[in-house]
Amino acid sequence: MTTSTPPAVPEAVLAPALDRLVAALGTDAVLTDEEQLKEFRDPFTFAEWADHRGAAVVMPETVEQVQEVVRIANEFGVPLWTSSQGRNNAYGGAAPRLSGSIQVSLRRMNRILEVDEELGYAVVEPGVSFFELYEHFRANGHRLWPQLPDLSWGSVVGNTLDHGVGTGRPGQHPDRACGMEVVLGNGEVLRTGMGALPGAETWHTYQRGFGPALDPLFMQSNFGIVTKMGVWCMPEPEVYQLCLVTTERQDAVPELVDTIRPFVLDGTIPSGLAITRATDSSKLVELRDAVFSGQGPSREQVAESLKTRSRSAPWMLRFPLYGSADVVAAQWAQIQQAFAGVEAAVCTARTFAGDRVHEETRNHAEMCAAGVPNNHLWALVELWEGVGGHIDFSPVLPLKGADAARVMSILRPVIEDAGLVYSPTFSIIGRTMFHVVPTFFDTSNEAQTRAAFEQMYPQAIAACAEAGYGLYRTHVHFMDEVMDTYSFNDHVLRRFLETIKDGVDPNGVLSPGKSGIWPRSLRPDRRPGAHA
Amino acid sequence: MTTSTPPAVPEAVLAPALDRLVAALGTDAVLTDEEQLKEFRDPFTFAEWADHRGAAVVMPETVEQVQEVVRIANEFGVPLWTSSQGRNNAYGGAAPRLSGSIQVSLRRMNRILEVDEELGYAVVEPGVSFFELYEHFRANGHRLWPQLPDLSWGSVVGNTLDHGVGTGRPGQHPDRACGMEVVLGNGEVLRTGMGALPGAETWHTYQRGFGPALDPLFMQSNFGIVTKMGVWCMPEPEVYQLCLVTTERQDAVPELVDTIRPFVLDGTIPSGLAITRATDSSKLVELRDAVFSGQGPSREQVAESLKTRSRSAPWMLRFPLYGSADVVAAQWAQIQQAFAGVEAAVCTARTFAGDRVHEETRNHAEMCAAGVPNNHLWALVELWEGVGGHIDFSPVLPLKGADAARVMSILRPVIEDAGLVYSPTFSIIGRTMFHVVPTFFDTSNEAQTRAAFEQMYPQAIAACAEAGYGLYRTHVHFMDEVMDTYSFNDHVLRRFLETIKDGVDPNGVLSPGKSGIWPRSLRPDRRPGAHA
């Protein structure tokens, strides 16, 4: 990480481009003040580093304004970098790959355009957060549950576009996206899927259309700016049960994985599951409040306790069941029977009437799988007297216990050798496990932050790639390094994607470098900060 | 339809290209004999029409041979048209959009490369049929069920690439595709998703990768030739139950749809459902055998009986449940209770032990949802003394009873005015209904075949588009007309797809015209047989 990087755009180009943006969108929509820009930087990095800093933030409120922004970018040849809420924390937040980009924040596009309760979907703009979608359902009496990631202040659209995962049904958020409106590289508006048929009745019910389905092409890419998206939501079930399998056994993870697998594959559990250290988020929140009132532990104590937990806290597998009381009881009986064969595994569950979850769920785990938004886990950062940060490292594994054991044996030494604490978690969805490792550090400690970014992360990428485990998502700083690992046939994947990029965004204005995809003018060694 | 169309490729170019193909793949792999080519034409059209006829068929056996074919096509500028098994019947079979194309049949690439029973997937080449996949599982004792379309002789890959639907879990075949190998327009080999990471452990368990997911981009398109695909299969359940709700009431369809919807949305039924006229396929097969032995009805009598059935046969909703005996019983009790409120609806079910379906399922409906392959419904064609045909018209509807009623009121007069019989069926999967209408005719009767192609089908496209219902798939003859209906913003969808086409296949050799996507050299009015 460096304290200065050359800007992507010379001042002589930037200034008139910003003037045009102000003329088109209003003064209020273009932020250039240093204080205002801070919110759109990576919150989890050493404050004096200057990588990944935008030159300005522009905040359109309508599709037409987004089109205008793209047209101006083309005219002046300035790179844009789009975020929705900009809460992609632990992966860089709203920060751009290329310093000097003009950041496009879609926070002000925050309308919920449609809810179809019968068909179980909503249509949202990118600024809509999980909190807002939930509140809208509640205020209007819609008995629908949004599917949530761990923190609810993020954008429904943004989380989906970054291939986010969570609890609820289905656990992979891209799987519940249906039908987009997209502003293309030339400023034109495209509607995907059935939305291309004027007056279509099925834009948000059928995920394909005629010809190839394009929704996936606009995720983790830089081929367009998504301005609307249909999102499928769960109907409120009769019964929701959060099931926990807890064990003190430190070697139990592979057995937990292998025992639950048949119930995932046969569809008994069609939602996200998690294996983590047992944590009650309501206690975390209490602890965080204690820290802020001066009664809590110091950040050194927090770090120490994290270290202890990383070797001795109980493991917990948790997952939701949804349905009628009879069906849920029959499913849970069958699952408990399977875990009866796992030494020292304790099954517990808490059951809620579907319409009571709003009042009765108490902590992050119970709430998230019931679509009740919360930011409890943010306390994990705030506990460090407000200067905590983490960078998430997330390889994808097959749903086999042996792979869980193998990846832990690979990553623990890499992370501990960097003087950091290994905090493994597993998100299971279908045949796949996401091994999400949030490595925490003190962002006011440059050496520690540097150890995370410069030692741990690149070594972890290499070690996992060597073992056949690729990342499903990464920090903006490592997009090239991760794409480098997807190297089959002389990097044909990147070359294919960049061929598409050149066609659909010939001036390369949309989020250059996103997922390692660069426009012709900036690849491969002409881009600022290019790695060797 | 015409009796002659200008060939896409002049003989002076074609002849040396074929010589090169013979030199590269062997005489045996290049078919030019008129008799041999017949099998690769549309089987359901008037025999003397010459639309959509390829100049030759080339049959590679390996990925390297496919690469060689693509390189030769680029060198000579000859268009290819790829099929897997070539059983896309009712949509044109193996026939190319552009007459004179060299047809690439992948039938000889028929290896099953891998089966992972623990994770429930197989990796297949495009020539592998549903019959072959099933037989392979049986022969090797794998307790996995393939998910089937109505007829089992087709290709697992080919059906998926055309967005096929079926019974089983999940009902949309693209949803169970995971990880492809693709030969690109320049002859290079790409691996999608996690497959781009050398030695990846998750190529066939995780449907995305790093950057945008590309599997969907290679479906219903002409951006590459898929040479391998991962396919998720269901583990054999403890119990399989085929549930039927039958009613004599001719106006019952909307109520069946609205009554079952909550069970689809809440995940009780995560598989495909069908609403059809009640039919026992084993009786159809008996009838077909009678026709062939000279004891059955004449084709006029068959047509007459179809006509009667179209107005008076009972309706049937059918769907499978899978799971433990307890879970299935609890689910079925709840569903039956809901249908108790539907006048004159009779619920019946047949329950099978999961390991007994191979011996005990008796007809198409029971077999398909249990992964037991069959071609029973082919009898619907053979009944016509061997000269029957049909063209399928398949708009997509939201899962609402009112839409089922509306589309039937739109299509019945269009089809009956053309002197044909309206045979509505509905495939329900998630929030969507596919209104699959197989219009039957006598292919030896030119006037009747012409009425289907030239009167009924174009009118049906227009009437449905006007109502907001787009087609999910169409006959090769109507790909432009259907893409024309996806016209939002001056056909930006087609323009965007054609921009990609120009980048990834600059010589336009891969399946020109597929889904209305044309390479630069052939669009829009320069292509043979271009419509106004």
Side-chain angles (χ1 to χ4, degrees):
Chain A
M1 313 297 281
T2 60
T3 48
S4 73
T5 47
V9 188
E11 184 59 26
V13 174
L14 183 66
L18 290 176
D19 287 345
R20 280 290 301 283
L21 287 168
V22 168
L25 274 67
T27 317
D28 197 43
V30 183
L31 318 183
T32 51
D33 189 83
E34 192 60 18
E35 270 311 300
Q36 292 174 308
L37 298 189
K38 274 190 182 154
E39 185 165 352
F40 299 91
R41 295 202 182 128
D42 184 355
F44 295 161
T45 193
F46 185 65
E48 288 170 35
W49 292 346
D51 313 66
H52 312 299
R53 291 198 177 178
V57 173
V58 52
M59 305 193 80
E61 286 183 44
T62 63
V63 179
E64 292 73 22
Q65 288 189 345
V66 174
Q67 293 181 270
E68 194 57 25
V69 169
V70 172
R71 285 190 207 108
I72 292 169
N74 271 285
E75 187 183 335
F76 291 88
V78 296
L80 304 174
W81 182 269
T82 307
S83 62
S84 298
Q85 267 291 329
R87 304 287 187 195
N88 194 19
N89 296 338
Y91 297 108
R97 169 66 186 85
L98 193 62
S99 282
S101 298
I102 293 179
Q103 292 178 250
V104 182
S105 167
L106 303 177
R107 280 192 190 174
R108 292 184 186 167
M109 291 181 68
N110 63 352
R111 292 178 305 162
I112 295 164
L113 300 163
E114 186 190 346
V115 176
D116 189 319
E117 187 167 352
E118 268 190 308
L119 291 173
Y121 70 78
V123 183
V124 298
E125 290 186 332
V128 174
S129 71
F130 293 95
F131 279 118
E132 287 164 333
L133 184 57
Y134 171 85
E135 291 301 339
H136 185 86
F137 288 161
R138 294 288 287 159
N140 293 279
H142 299 305
R143 296 168 73 150
L144 294 174
W145 292 6
Q147 285 110 67
L148 305 176
D150 277 340
L151 296 172
S152 302
W153 60 358
S155 155
V156 176
V157 171
N159 181 278
T160 305
L161 298 186
D162 276 313
H163 291 176
V165 299
T167 46
R169 180 168 58 84
Q172 292 191 37
H173 293 166
D175 286 340
R176 54 128 171 81
C178 187
M180 294 176 172
E181 180 185 83
V182 183
V183 174
L184 299 175
N186 63 1
E188 279 197 290
V189 175
L190 172 83
R191 291 185 176 172
T192 66
M194 304 307 288
L197 186 98
E201 298 284 348
T202 50
W203 189 10
H204 306 297
T205 74
Y206 181 49
Q207 287 178 315
R208 280 163 273 275
F210 188 67
L214 293 179
D215 285 2
L217 196 66
F218 294 109
M219 300 183 192
Q220 280 202 4
S221 77
N222 48 18
F223 301 150
I225 297 177
V226 177
T227 50
K228 285 185 183 63
M229 191 184 85
V231 54
W232 291 345
C233 298
M234 285 181 54
E236 177 189 287
E238 182 189 317
V239 161
Y240 152 59
Q241 178 172 301
L242 186 69
C243 307
L244 309 176
V245 184
T246 313
T247 177
E248 298 279 343
R249 275 177 51 213
Q250 288 304 302
D251 63 350
V253 171
E255 219 174 329
L256 295 178
V257 170
D258 291 331
T259 308
I260 203 65
R261 184 179 50 245
F263 300 100
V264 176
L265 260 69
D266 76 4
T268 300
I269 309 171
S271 50
L273 305 86
I275 297 177
T276 65
R277 302 292 185 169
T279 302
D280 181 339
S281 70
S282 57
K283 292 194 183 132
L284 273 179
V285 173
E286 280 169 29
L287 203 60
R288 184 267 324 268
D289 293 347
V291 167
F292 284 147
S293 68
Q295 309 298 309
S298 69
R299 69 182 101 150
E300 290 76 17
Q301 289 169 319
V302 166
E304 199 50 41
S305 118
L306 193 66
K307 203 164 170 180
T308 311
R309 283 177 53 78
S310 88
R311 293 200 171 265
S312 62
W315 285 104
M316 183 170 77
L317 164 68
R318 66 164 202 262
F319 54 90
L321 295 174
Y322 308 106
S324 69
D326 284 354
V327 168
V328 167
Q331 290 175 327
W332 182 224
Q334 210 188 346
I335 294 168
Q336 282 179 288
Q337 197 179 355
F339 280 99
V342 178
E343 189 195 330
V346 180
C347 292
T348 56
R350 193 159 176 241
T351 309
F352 305 84
D355 58 359
R356 297 291 303 156
V357 296
H358 314 286
E359 296 78 21
E360 294 180 3
T361 53
R362 302 161 306 187
N363 59 35
H364 165 260
E366 289 175 359
M367 295 168 86
C368 280
V372 182
N374 67 90
N375 269 358
H376 286 193
L377 293 195
W378 187 244
L380 287 169
V381 166
E382 292 182 314
L383 268 185
W384 300 62
E385 300 172 32
V387 295
H390 60 107
I391 181 167
D392 287 6
F393 181 81
S394 314
V396 183
L397 319 177
L399 185 57
K400 290 189 178 177
D403 289 280
R406 183 162 167 245
V407 80
M408 289 193 288
S409 73
I410 292 169
L411 284 176
R412 183 179 285 280
V414 170
I415 293 172
E416 292 184 350
D417 286 356
L420 300 161
V421 177
Y422 177 51
S423 306
T425 74
F426 298 86
S427 283
I428 296 172
I429 300 166
R431 287 154 175 84
T432 290
M433 280 191 294
F434 301 85
H435 182 46
V436 181
V437 184
T439 301
F440 288 87
F441 48 82
D442 175 346
T443 63
S444 70
N445 180 334
E446 182 171 10
Q448 201 175 70
T449 310
R450 192 178 291 280
F453 275 86
E454 296 189 356
Q455 179 177 341
M456 180 279 287
Y457 212 95
Q459 286 182 9
I461 292 171
C464 279
E466 176 71 26
Y469 305 133
L471 270 62
Y472 93 102
R473 181 180 186 181
T474 198
H475 189 283
V476 73
H477 192 66
F478 295 100
M479 287 180 170
D480 289 322
E481 284 77 358
V482 172
M483 183 49 101
D484 280 349
T485 66
Y486 288 80
S487 63
F488 174 78
N489 190 14
D490 192 21
H491 302 272
V492 63
L493 173 65
R494 178 162 54 203
R495 290 185 285 115
F496 183 79
L497 291 170
E498 291 186 338
T499 300
I500 294 178
K501 178 70 174 171
D502 290 341
V504 304
D505 178 21
N507 298 322
V509 298
L510 301 181
S511 298
K514 174 79 183 179
S515 300
I517 305 165
W518 291 92
R520 191 188 303 277
S521 59
L522 288 166
R523 67 179 183 250
D525 296 318
R526 274 171 287 170
R527 58 184 184 256
H531 60 96
Chain B
M1 314 296 280
T2 59
T3 48
S4 75
T5 48
V9 188
E11 184 59 25
V13 174
L14 184 65
L18 290 176
D19 288 346
R20 280 290 301 282
L21 287 168
V22 168
L25 275 67
T27 317
D28 198 42
V30 183
L31 318 183
T32 51
D33 188 82
E34 190 61 17
E35 269 312 300
Q36 292 174 308
L37 298 189
K38 274 189 183 157
E39 185 167 353
F40 298 91
R41 296 202 182 129
D42 184 356
F44 294 162
T45 193
F46 184 64
E48 289 171 33
W49 292 347
D51 315 65
H52 312 299
R53 291 198 177 179
V57 173
V58 53
M59 305 191 80
E61 285 182 44
T62 65
V63 180
E64 293 73 21
Q65 289 189 344
V66 174
Q67 294 181 268
E68 194 55 26
V69 169
V70 172
R71 286 189 206 107
I72 293 169
N74 271 284
E75 186 182 335
F76 290 89
V78 296
L80 304 174
W81 182 267
T82 306
S83 62
S84 298
Q85 268 290 332
R87 303 289 187 193
N88 193 19
N89 296 339
Y91 297 108
R97 169 66 185 86
L98 193 61
S99 282
S101 298
I102 293 179
Q103 292 177 249
V104 182
S105 168
L106 303 176
R107 280 192 191 172
R108 292 184 187 167
M109 292 182 67
N110 62 353
R111 291 178 305 162
I112 295 163
L113 300 163
E114 185 189 347
V115 175
D116 189 319
E117 186 167 351
E118 269 189 309
L119 291 174
Y121 71 77
V123 184
V124 297
E125 291 186 331
V128 175
S129 72
F130 293 95
F131 279 116
E132 286 164 337
L133 184 57
Y134 170 86
E135 291 302 339
H136 185 85
F137 288 162
R138 294 287 286 159
N140 293 280
H142 298 305
R143 296 167 74 148
L144 294 174
W145 292 6
Q147 286 112 64
L148 305 176
D150 277 339
L151 296 172
S152 301
W153 60 359
S155 156
V156 176
V157 171
N159 181 278
T160 304
L161 298 186
D162 276 313
H163 291 176
V165 300
T167 46
R169 180 168 59 83
Q172 293 190 36
H173 293 166
D175 287 340
R176 54 127 171 79
C178 187
M180 294 175 174
E181 180 185 83
V182 183
V183 174
L184 299 176
N186 62 1
E188 281 198 289
V189 175
L190 172 84
R191 291 185 175 172
T192 66
M194 304 306 288
L197 186 99
E201 297 283 349
T202 49
W203 189 10
H204 306 298
T205 75
Y206 180 49
Q207 287 178 315
R208 280 164 273 275
F210 187 67
L214 293 180
D215 285 0
L217 197 65
F218 294 109
M219 301 182 192
Q220 281 203 3
S221 77
N222 47 19
F223 301 149
I225 297 177
V226 176
T227 51
K228 283 185 185 65
M229 190 183 85
V231 54
W232 291 346
C233 298
M234 284 179 55
E236 177 188 284
E238 181 188 319
V239 161
Y240 153 58
Q241 178 171 299
L242 186 68
C243 307
L244 308 177
V245 183
T246 313
T247 177
E248 298 279 343
R249 275 178 49 215
Q250 288 304 301
D251 63 349
V253 171
E255 219 174 328
L256 295 178
V257 170
D258 291 331
T259 307
I260 202 66
R261 184 178 51 245
F263 300 100
V264 176
L265 259 69
D266 77 4
T268 302
I269 309 172
S271 50
L273 305 86
I275 297 178
T276 64
R277 301 293 185 168
T279 302
D280 181 339
S281 71
S282 58
K283 293 197 183 128
L284 273 179
V285 173
E286 280 170 30
L287 203 60
R288 185 269 320 271
D289 292 346
V291 167
F292 284 146
S293 68
Q295 310 297 309
S298 68
R299 70 181 99 149
E300 290 75 18
Q301 288 168 320
V302 166
E304 198 52 41
S305 119
L306 193 67
K307 201 164 170 178
T308 310
R309 282 176 54 78
S310 86
R311 294 201 170 263
S312 62
W315 284 104
M316 183 171 78
L317 164 68
R318 67 165 202 261
F319 54 89
L321 295 173
Y322 308 106
S324 70
D326 285 354
V327 168
V328 166
Q331 290 175 327
W332 182 224
Q334 210 188 346
I335 294 168
Q336 282 180 289
Q337 197 178 357
F339 280 99
V342 177
E343 191 194 330
V346 179
C347 292
T348 56
R350 195 160 174 240
T351 309
F352 305 84
D355 59 359
R356 296 292 302 156
V357 297
H358 314 286
E359 297 78 21
E360 294 180 4
T361 53
R362 302 162 305 186
N363 58 38
H364 164 261
E366 289 174 1
M367 295 168 86
C368 280
V372 181
N374 67 90
N375 270 357
H376 286 193
L377 293 195
W378 188 243
L380 287 168
V381 165
E382 293 182 315
L383 268 185
W384 302 61
E385 299 171 33
V387 294
H390 59 105
I391 181 167
D392 286 6
F393 181 81
S394 314
V396 183
L397 319 178
L399 186 56
K400 290 190 177 176
D403 289 279
R406 183 162 166 245
V407 81
M408 290 194 286
S409 75
I410 291 168
L411 284 175
R412 183 179 285 280
V414 168
I415 294 172
E416 292 185 349
D417 285 356
L420 300 161
V421 177
Y422 177 52
S423 306
T425 73
F426 299 86
S427 284
I428 295 171
I429 301 166
R431 287 152 175 86
T432 290
M433 280 191 293
F434 301 84
H435 182 46
V436 181
V437 184
T439 301
F440 288 89
F441 48 82
D442 174 347
T443 62
S444 70
N445 179 335
E446 182 171 9
Q448 200 175 72
T449 311
R450 191 177 291 279
F453 275 86
E454 296 190 354
Q455 179 178 340
M456 181 278 286
Y457 211 96
Q459 287 182 9
I461 292 171
C464 279
E466 174 72 25
Y469 305 133
L471 270 62
Y472 93 101
R473 181 180 187 181
T474 197
H475 189 283
V476 73
H477 192 64
F478 294 101
M479 288 180 168
D480 289 321
E481 284 77 358
V482 171
M483 183 50 102
D484 280 349
T485 66
Y486 288 81
S487 62
F488 174 77
N489 191 12
D490 193 20
H491 302 271
V492 64
L493 173 65
R494 177 162 55 202
R495 288 185 286 115
F496 182 79
L497 292 169
E498 291 185 340
T499 300
I500 294 177
K501 178 70 175 170
D502 289 341
V504 304
D505 178 20
N507 297 322
V509 299
L510 302 182
S511 298
K514 174 78 183 179
S515 301
I517 305 166
W518 291 92
R520 193 188 301 277
S521 59
L522 288 166
R523 66 179 184 252
D525 295 317
R526 275 171 286 166
R527 60 183 182 257
H531 59 94

